[in-house]
Amino acid sequence: VETVADMFFVRSLAAPLPSLEVPGWTVRRCRGAGEVQPRARAQYGAFESTRPMEVYVQRFLRFMQSEAYAGALDLVAVDADGQIGAFCIAWQDTQTCRGHLEPVGTHPEFQRQGLARAVLLEALRRLQASGMRSVSVLTPEGNAPAQAFYTSLGFERVGRLGMFQKHLDRALP
């Protein structure tokens, strides 16, 4: 049995938020199923998926077609060729007035260009405009660059979410 953990971060949305433009990129809402290939490709690369790409695309398309998909808050950074460099889905809880960001990522080819920062700032602005008072995000405990990134955007670490995993040596009957 091994323990894996995510770090839990929260940020207030009380103060005005800056905007950030990245030359050559547009931050906007994902266009849904019409952009499933570049959207899935960005996430596939960001999270270093080992599944076959076509399986990943089909899985993402099913998600986009489900009632759970928050398409209005699936934000992307797109270049003139239609490549998606960074992405973020913002979720809203109108009962608690808290938003949550999941997933957040940047394709490795486009990291360190400010794309994730631009996408997250837009997500924060949209959450703020919809009445959310705070926003949360999780990142793996071992992901120091992501933790530093969220901290640089005003997020504060408020907890650790531990999970236990056990790898089975044989398949269950």
Side-chain angles (χ1 to χ4, degrees), residues 100-114:
H100 184 72
L101 306 173
E102 168 64 31
V104 176
T106 304
H107 190 281
E109 292 176 25
F110 306 109
Q111 291 177 350
R112 309 209 51 84
Q113 296 180 32

Side-chain angles (χ1 to χ4, degrees), residues 89-170:
I89 299 180
W91 303 88
Q92 299 178 69
D93 182 338
T94 56
Q95 296 293 320
T96 64
C97 293
R98 175 176 278 177
H100 184 72
L101 306 173
E102 168 64 31
V104 176
T106 304
H107 190 281
E109 292 176 25
F110 306 109
Q111 291 177 350
R112 309 209 51 84
Q113 296 180 32
L115 300 179
R117 182 173 300 276
V119 169
L120 255 65
L121 286 170
E122 181 61 23
L124 297 177
R125 276 194 302 283
R126 290 183 186 208
L127 288 169
Q128 186 181 57
S130 70
M132 300 299 107
R133 293 191 302 259
S134 65
V135 61
S136 61
V137 67
L138 293 164
T139 193
E141 184 174 44
N143 192 341
Q147 292 177 39
F149 171 66
Y150 293 127
T151 301
S152 77
L153 283 167
F155 284 85
E156 294 180 27
R157 187 179 131 192
V158 296
R160 179 178 182 270
L161 177 63
M163 298 163 276
F164 296 97
Q165 289 181 328
K166 181 172 183 172
H167 298 281
L168 302 176
D169 294 331
R170 60 184 173 80

